[in-house]
Amino acid sequence: MTERPADATPARVTPRGLPAALADVDRCLVMGVLNVTPDSFSDGGSFLDTDAAVAHGVEMAAQGADIVDVGGESTRPGAHRVDAAEEVRRALPVVRSLVAAGIPVSIDTMRASTASAALEAGACLVNDVSGGLADPDMAHVVADSHAPFVAMHWRGHSVDMAERAVYDDVVADVIAELQARVDDLDRRGVDRDRVIVDPGLGFAKNSAHNWTLLARLQELNVLGRPLLVGPSRKGFLGPLLADAAGRPRPAQGRDHATTALSALIAAAGAWAVRVHDVAATADAVRVVAAVRSAESRG
Ligand code: PMM
């Protein structure tokens, strides 16, 4: 086998605890976003009905989503919390139906009780935008389950997170705060080899912070953990794609830019990318994998 040259992109790291079918995939995985909410920033209200949500999840799997990420609470900037019963009422039937259809499902929640119900229903991964900070019971639930856990970089709830976008060096600070999360989770029984880290684009970050994190993504590999990145349709793309009058491009028009970012994120060695438009990203990650494989053949 040829040795990777010193300047090659880093090898992908995968988490322990994934279903074998996903653990064996040797490219950046595609996580399809399924928000069963009335108020998410780009697809809020589209899939509030259970049947529509399940149909969209099945469609994303057919388009190449490796995992469908089901969420029942919006985390868009300024969002207020939804109560626990309502979150479960929205998300659980969708998780159950997609699991029954043989689709790998992750649950996007900050609540231990919702994570527990979803794991019981067959979800194979917990995606917590607060990295376990919002609910003191989350680590306990995940520790008991042996499922992988996404710890996203987070500094507080969405309602006032913009005020927390203050950093000395956003990359160094995000790395230090994620390292503290990984260490704390490990102490509380969520072994570090099950933890996936995410820089949390758009969460307590301004546009410059998001671009800097994307430019220096490979520095996060120092954490030694698999990396998930969620660039999809996010606000920092709006001004970049503004029209001639300077009006930022609305969320629904940001998919091509998201696909370009997904390719860059995959090329940086990320484990997975979380997107709304699965079909284009599924192609993009395959292109990156083909180039990387040719690169390793020399
Ligand atoms: N972004 C949103 C929601 N969940 N989870 C992870 N791990 N990373 C993210 O960047 C992320 C997330 C934002 O809301 P959306 O569901 O409307 O994309």
Side-chain angles (χ1 to χ4, degrees):
M1 196 162 129
T2 332
E3 259 189 44
R4 294 175 70 79
D7 63 351
T9 45
R12 278 174 74 253
V13 187
T14 56
R16 188 165 60 79
L18 273 184
L22 292 181
D24 291 346
V25 179
D26 190 22
R27 59 164 166 74
C28 181
L29 298 181
V30 179
M31 177 182 272
V33 179
L34 185 49
N35 288 317
V36 192
T37 61
D39 56 341
S40 289
F41 77 96
S42 86
D43 58 352
S46 305
F47 310 114
L48 195 51
D49 170 71
T50 302
D51 291 343
V54 172
H56 187 56
V58 169
E59 184 189 19
M60 286 195 290
Q63 290 172 335
D66 300 291
I67 309 170
V68 172
D69 190 38
V70 179
E73 176 176 39
S74 170
T75 52
R76 73 170 204 289
H80 289 273
R81 302 290 320 264
V82 66
D83 74 60
E86 175 62 11
E87 186 189 11
V88 167
R89 193 195 64 73
R90 292 174 185 170
L92 248 282
V94 180
V95 171
R96 275 202 201 96
S97 297
L98 294 177
V99 168
I103 296 169
V105 172
S106 63
I107 180 73
D108 183 352
T109 186
M110 291 182 267
R111 279 203 182 84
S113 54
T114 305
S116 175
L119 288 165
E120 181 99 344
C124 65
L125 184 150
V126 176
N127 174 27
D128 180 353
V129 299
S130 83
L133 285 170
D135 186 335
D137 293 334
M138 182 61 94
H140 177 65
V141 162
V142 178
D144 275 356
S145 76
H146 308 294
F149 180 69
V150 177
M152 199 192 79
H153 178 262
W154 186 85
R155 284 183 161 185
H157 287 289
S158 299
V159 67
D160 56 0
M161 66 182 171
E163 293 161 25
R164 299 190 175 86
V166 180
Y167 300 90
D168 286 331
D169 172 331
V170 66
V171 178
D173 294 354
V174 165
I175 289 172
E177 289 166 40
L178 283 174
Q179 183 67 65
R181 280 290 72 228
V182 172
D183 292 343
D184 178 64
L185 288 161
D186 191 69
R187 271 194 300 275
R188 301 208 281 142
V190 183
D191 299 340
R192 63 187 69 240
D193 62 2
R194 276 202 280 150
V195 178
I196 297 148
V197 294
D198 181 330
L201 297 177
F203 286 81
K205 321 263 173 350
N206 63 29
S207 285
H209 295 139
N210 293 317
W211 287 116
T212 301
L213 280 162
L214 285 161
R216 295 168 54 193
L217 204 55
Q218 290 195 19
E219 292 181 37
L220 272 69
N221 291 327
V222 70
L223 292 162
R225 303 308 318 132
L227 192 62
L228 169 70
V229 187
S232 197
R233 300 180 178 171
K234 288 212 170 144
F236 65 98
L237 295 171
L240 178 79
L241 307 170
D243 65 15
R247 283 183 297 254
R249 174 99 51 94
Q252 285 72 13
R254 300 175 190 157
D255 282 333
H256 297 312
T258 299
T259 305
L261 278 179
S262 296
L264 292 169
I265 291 163
W271 168 74
V273 64
R274 181 181 178 279
V275 293
H276 300 84
D277 177 16
V278 163
T281 293
D283 287 356
V285 296
R286 282 165 177 78
V287 167
V288 172
V291 172
R292 294 193 72 177
S293 143
E295 200 179 65
S296 68
R297 286 195 304 272

